[in-house]
Each structure stands twice: as structure tokens, then as C-alpha cells.
Amino acid sequence: RPANSLTLNNITYPTDSHTNIPANLPAYLAQGGLHLKPSHPLSTTRQTIESLFPASQYEVYNSLPPVVTVAENFDSLCFPADHPGRSRSDTYYVNRDTVLRTHTSAHQAEKFRAMSGTQKPGYLISADVYRRDAIDRSHYPVFHQMEGARVFPRGGAASGNYGDSGVAAEIMREVEAMEVPNLQVVESCALHEEPVNPVQLAEQHTPEQAEAVAKHLQRQLELVVSRVFGEAAAATGAGAAQEKLQVRWISGYFPFTSPSYELEVFWNNEWLEVLGCGVIRQDLLNRAGQGDKIGWAFGLGLERIAMLMYGIPDIRLFWSQDERFARQFRDGVVRRFEPFSRHPACYKDVTFWVPAAAATTAGEEFHENDFMEVLRGTGGDLVEDVKLIDKFIHPTTGRTSLCYRITYRSLERTLTNPEVDSLQDSFRAALQNKLGLELR
Ligand code: PHE
């Protein structure tokens, strides 16, 4: 293939100075997402959650391709031009106009548009998503999200006056019909901001409507966590200290919802964030031809939930080819993961001077995610964790030195010393060659 192109799932894309897809990534795209792999815990987790949304109301999309435009992933969702999510240090760019989706929200605009055709007022999307990030037991450059949305008629479409109070009452009737077992909301934030975010007010959202939609959203998601954490408690014996699952609603921020919330669950003695959601920005619905609707959307990470449901301690396990992993799981069955024996870890430190901007190979500042990616390239799944353990500023030159500790550990076997030494040598060499770092 020509050097200035890249082929992903049989489609060839031109590359440019924005391209930052590492050589090991296309193989993950080719798998099409673990949420569809038979018997896989991510697939069962997806199905468990899907079962809580009536099929008559929610269209399900589970195989949308992962390569999307910058317009779909960011612009259509009102991400500001300087939002950090857009940076090359956080996002995988195929080229300047094309990315690997960083979230399932990349499909919102398209699927709102499709609603007129499907006639269903909601959808669910599960998919593999891609982000440049740290290395530890809960972060991996590929993970899976489920997104859902639901819209309601706003009334008054003919007159162009949407302040109809019957709309809120209609939505509240549905809310009252949803019963959530074994759950206690211990804390809640305001359902709408005061005044309702100007982008919503400008589109004639009344506080009553915004509140009714938010209530519906919260009730539906409380149903999801009540079921999922009930399964988790039954399978793993872990869980809530109280008889009822305790949850709290926290005010959040997403560029494409207003108001926005995060849902946290009290689990194993800590508050755990499980999802983000909110009332869909009306201008987004308007642009998708759904101006006569008002609605909500949420997004959650499937790995995080599956790790709790099955007691899976390390995100790398989801990708394991080891029979000892695969043979533990059956479609639709949630049970505690029996870890195979834990192999010893090996720690290696690396110390280097942070380059002055102009000195690096790429002519850019040092980004930690670049460091992580070089390490994923040389160490692959044998790297368990990376921590910054020391930062030092030279008193006279003012230069900064960083020291990172790398934990090497295989989930499947014991690593030998020469093997780890050689991995670390390749890593050091790559830091010099690829990032132009001056090692100490
Ligand atoms: N896409 C958001 C994320 O990845 C989650 C989200 C989805 C929030 C839909 C609001 C509505 O963090």
C-alpha cells in the first residue's frame, strides 16, 4: 500500500500530518467489538442492559463501523473548537477529517435522523470506542460503550409554540409506571439549571418539560443500575453495605446535553461513577429533523460494569485468548470470574528530561499519552500499570525530569528477567527514536 494511506477494515484512507494510529490498533478494529462475541462477558452485560428497554420502543444498533468523521464525533455534538477531547494526544486520527470514534455519541445525529423512518422513539447503540489514555488495570485504548436515547412529542408543533404543559404530564405518567426495586436515591441535584441553559430556553424548553424528561431519564437509568448491581451482588457476593442499593445524581457537563448528570453508585464502600447523561440539546434534535421532539440520552462504559458484575480485576482479561478465561463464560449467565493464579510482577523505572518544545522529534510538547502509546507498542498486554513516581526541576537549568514506574506482568504466565529486560530495552530505544527523549 502507498505510504500515505492506511487500510482499516478493508477501506483505504489517505493519511496526513494528523494521522496517529499505531500499528497494533487495526487488529482490534478488525474484531468488530467484543460486545458481539458469543459468550463473552461484555456481550452478556450488553444483553442484560438491553433487556430493560422495551424492544417496541428502542431500535438497537450494534454494528456501526468505528471510523467516523470529525464532524460526527465532535462538531455535530457542539464540542467547542478548543475542547481537549479533540486533541491528537487524546484521540486517534485516521487523518485530519476522520477519527476512530471516541464515544458512541458520534452516531447521535445520524440515529435521531433515522427515527422518522424506524418509528421508534428511542435507540440503543453498543460499540467499540477508542481513546488514547493512561495504562492501568481499568484503561485500555479500545473499550466498549452503550448509548441510549429517547424522545417524546413536544406538542404544539402546528403553532410553533412548544410551551404545552400537557407534554410534561404525559411524560410523568410513564415515569410513574416504571418501578425500581431495591434502590434508594440518597442525593439529587437540581433537575434543571436556573435559568434553564439558554440554549434550551431559546428553543422554548419550559422548566416543567425539562424536569419531566430528566425524571424519565433518571427513573429509566435507576432501573438499569438496580438490575445490573443486583446481578453483580448475586454473582460476586460483593456489594452494597445497605439492603438497598444507594445511588446519587451529580450535576455533570457534556457539550451536547443540558442539563447533564452523572450517576454514582455506592459499591464496596466507595462512590463509583457509572454513567453520564442529560437532556438532549434541542438545537441538535432540530438539526436532525426532530424539532417537534424533546428527549434524553445517556452513555455508559460496558467494561466498567462487566468488571463489577463478574469480579474481573483487569481490563486486559477481556482480550485474553487464554482458554482459562473463555471457558468460564456462557451467554446470558453472570458468575464470578475465577482468577487463574497470579503471576509475579516486575518493576522497571525510566527517567528522562522533558524536552523543550522545539527539541522533540515531532516538534511538539511532551504528552504523557504519547509515552503510554510507545509503551503499548513495545510491551503490549504485558504492561499492567504505569505511574509517575518522581518529578524534579533542575535548580539552575530549570529543566524538568520525570520518573515513571512500569509494572510488567503477564496474566497468563511468569515472565523471565531477560524477557523483561529486553522489553524495557526496546521501550527505552523507542522513547529516544520516536519521541526524541533524553534518557537519564
Ligand atoms: N458520550 C459521553 C461520554 O463518552 C457520555 C454521554 C452520552 C453523555 C450521552 C450524555 C449523553 O462520556
Side-chain angles (χ1 to χ4, degrees), residues 102-105 108 131 145 147-148 254 256-257 276-278 297-299:
T102 64
H103 53 177
T104 41
S105 304
Q108 270 190 20
R131 287 187 202 174
Q145 283 188 331
E147 172 130 349
F254 300 100
F256 41 94
T257 51
C277 60
F298 74 89

Side-chain angles (χ1 to χ4, degrees), residues 14 21 24 31 44 46 68 71 142 161 164 227-229 282 310 339 355 364 383:
I21 311 277
N24 58 345
Q31 294 202 39
T44 296
R46 168 185 62 77
V68 301
V142 191
N161 176 5
D164 183 344
R227 170 65 187 274
V228 158
F229 285 82
Q282 195 61 41
Y310 291 84
E364 289 173 2
V383 183

Side-chain angles (χ1 to χ4, degrees), residues 5 73 84 111 122 145 188 198 215 229 279 303 326-327 373 385 399 401:
S5 77
N73 200 82
K111 292 312 168 201
Q145 283 188 331
S188 210
K215 265 267 153 258
F229 285 82
V279 178
E303 271 83 351
R327 72 167 178 234
E373 191 146 276
D385 187 79
R399 291 178 83 191
S401 162

